Amino acid sequence: MIDQFVQVINDFARYIIPLLLVGIPFYGLVVKKIKVYELFVEGAKDGFTIAIRIIPYLVAILVAIGMFRASGALDLVLAGLSPLLSLIGFPTENLPLALMRPLSGSGSLGLLTDLVNTHGPDSLYAKIGATMFGSTETTFYVLAVYFGSVGILRSRHAIVAGLIADTVGILSAVYICRFLLS
Amino acid sequence: MFISVVVGALTGRIDAVTEAAIDMAKTAVEIAIGLIGIMALWLGTMKIAEKSGLITIIAKGLRPITVRLFPDVPEDHPAIGSIVLNMAANILGLGNAATPLGLKAMEELQQINPNKDTATNAMCTFLAINTSSVQLILPATVVGLMGTYASEIFITTIIATSMSTIAAIIAVKGLEKLKRFQIETENRQ
């Protein structure tokens, strides 16, 4: 039952983008009779300026994250945290992914792939990992890009709130999978 | 970065640290340049949606929710429309569409920001919800990796992502009241 439901939702998802790309100009042209081509070009121009504007912020944040990973500092944090986490029933196998997830999308996808390949997609570790991956975001990247695009330098409570949400998402992933799938 | 250099030196990985810095600087530009085409496509299409009144219709429908989440943003401000569309794109797992819409929303929120270098409450709320990743459709990469086990993950992901979104809203609304996150007002009149 759930299999079919997921299948239907994911099939539906494949049609969303093409339908929007056709439906929106069609609605504008046929129903509202507005100049869709001129409007498209006018809007599309903003894409260039926004993409260029985020470069300095993106360089700063990605370089900092890359250095942190390459230096082995992330591994040290891992080693420091693992005894604490085993106390609350958090599997150490899932810890690298949990720490990487807010920092890097490609890095955390790599760790998830590794988890699935090592333990198999039927393992609880892989299921917890996939749930973590789907329920959290690359918080630092999103903050850098979104705030960078408008030149915000003081982000106030956004980072703390984002990390609290990530922590709750990650812990929920562990306990929900333990409860429902094991 | 300082920590990274010290740790890198101690663990003998200083070359890797240098390489990572240079690689990531390159990656940052590649990501930004790669965004241009997608951004142009979506922002162009959204301009049509905006002028044809589609965005207003959607934003009106979700007004009861947005008014509570973003009390500082005027009800009929275009930012609300972009925020709603960004959330819709995230829920449907359309990452490519979500980023351009989110950046548009930030630009519109910035127009009503009195201190241009400091984030407003509305911006922080928007980002907290955004990074908590409300998602109904699993990322294609996860489905690819998990194969037939993806359907088990479907339910757990929805529950976990709902928890993190609720936590995000509670956290952001609670934190914005704290003294250390208040906007420094001495420069304003």
Side-chain angles (χ1 to χ4, degrees):
Chain A
M1 227 282 286
I2 294 171
D3 280 349
Q4 280 154 341
F5 180 62
V6 172
Q7 189 66 39
V8 169
I9 296 232
N10 282 317
D11 281 346
F12 168 71
R14 286 162 47 210
Y15 286 91
I16 295 173
I17 289 183
L19 283 178
L20 286 177
L21 289 179
V22 174
I24 292 170
F26 182 82
Y27 178 80
L29 190 66
V30 177
V31 181
K32 293 283 169 171
K33 304 204 170 22
I34 51 176
K35 291 180 177 170
V36 291
Y37 182 74
E38 283 82 348
L39 284 171
F40 178 85
V41 173
E42 193 193 319
K45 278 179 192 155
D46 289 341
F48 191 81
T49 41
I50 294 178
I52 299 301
R53 216 185 303 154
I54 60 174
I55 290 180
Y57 303 90
L58 214 49
V59 169
I61 200 87
L62 290 185
V63 166
I65 291 170
M67 287 169 72
F68 188 69
R69 267 167 60 189
S71 69
L74 188 64
D75 302 331
L76 281 181
V77 175
L78 273 176
L81 279 178
S82 54
L84 186 77
L85 286 167
S86 51
L87 270 180
I88 57 165
F90 191 103
T92 17
E93 284 78 0
N94 289 111
L95 187 57
L97 178 63
L99 287 181
M100 184 64 85
R101 186 64 183 131
L103 299 176
S104 153
S106 55
S108 51
L109 184 62
L111 289 174
L112 178 64
T113 313
D114 185 52
L115 214 52
V116 174
N117 289 341
T118 319
H119 302 282
D122 56 332
S123 67
L124 189 60
Y125 297 135
K127 289 172 190 171
I128 291 175
T131 305
M132 272 181 193
F133 190 86
S135 58
T136 48
E137 254 289 350
T138 47
T139 301
F140 287 102
Y141 169 80
V142 172
L143 290 180
V145 170
Y146 279 42
F147 280 141
S149 74
V150 289
I152 294 280
L153 298 171
R154 272 179 271 174
S155 61
R156 294 175 59 217
H157 52 299
I159 294 180
V160 182
L163 290 179
I164 290 176
D166 282 340
T167 311
V168 171
I170 281 166
L171 291 177
S172 308
V174 171
Y175 296 120
I176 291 161
C177 288
R178 284 233 153 136
F179 184 69
L180 290 179
L181 303 177
S182 64
Chain B
M1 282 210 217
F2 176 72
I3 298 171
S4 309
V5 172
V6 173
V7 175
L10 291 176
T11 53
R13 293 199 222 171
I14 199 71
D15 291 339
V17 174
T18 311
E19 201 180 318
I22 291 163
D23 273 358
M24 286 310 237
K26 226 190 219 166
T27 310
V29 177
E30 282 163 9
I31 292 175
I33 300 291
L35 266 176
I36 295 177
I38 307 164
M39 293 278 294
L41 176 63
W42 281 106
L43 292 180
T45 310
M46 283 312 136
K47 194 74 169 181
I48 302 173
E50 188 191 317
K51 293 285 172 190
S52 62
L54 278 173
I55 293 183
T56 325
I57 298 172
I58 299 170
K60 264 190 188 147
L62 292 165
R63 188 169 286 178
I65 302 171
T66 52
V67 164
R68 283 187 181 81
L69 286 176
F70 306 100
D72 310 335
V73 183
E75 275 186 36
D76 48 356
H77 195 271
I80 295 290
S82 302
I83 290 173
V84 165
L85 291 174
N86 166 271
M87 287 182 189
N90 272 327
I91 291 171
L92 297 172
L94 309 174
N96 284 342
T99 308
L101 293 168
L103 295 180
K104 185 117 199 295
M106 287 303 282
E107 203 167 76
E108 286 155 354
L109 287 174
Q110 180 73 328
Q111 286 166 10
I112 48 171
N113 182 2
N115 304 339
K116 296 296 177 200
D117 66 340
T118 308
T120 59
N121 284 347
M123 287 176 174
C124 293
T125 308
F126 174 52
L127 280 183
I129 296 173
N130 207 300
T131 56
S132 75
S133 150
V134 222
Q135 210 166 44
L136 181 62
I137 292 174
L138 288 172
T141 42
V142 174
V143 176
L145 269 175
M146 297 296 287
T148 48
Y149 295 96
S151 55
E152 286 183 31
I153 304 308
F154 182 74
I155 304 285
T156 55
T157 305
I158 288 182
I159 303 175
T161 199
S162 310
M163 301 289 276
S164 73
T165 305
I166 294 167
I169 294 170
I170 296 173
V172 84
K173 291 288 172 192
L175 289 169
E176 73 182 27
K177 295 190 186 77
L178 291 184
K179 210 173 169 208
R180 64 169 299 216
F181 292 121
Q182 292 296 311
I183 303 167
E184 293 149 32
T185 44
E186 74 251 35
N187 295 334
R188 283 193 288 163
Q189 33 152 248

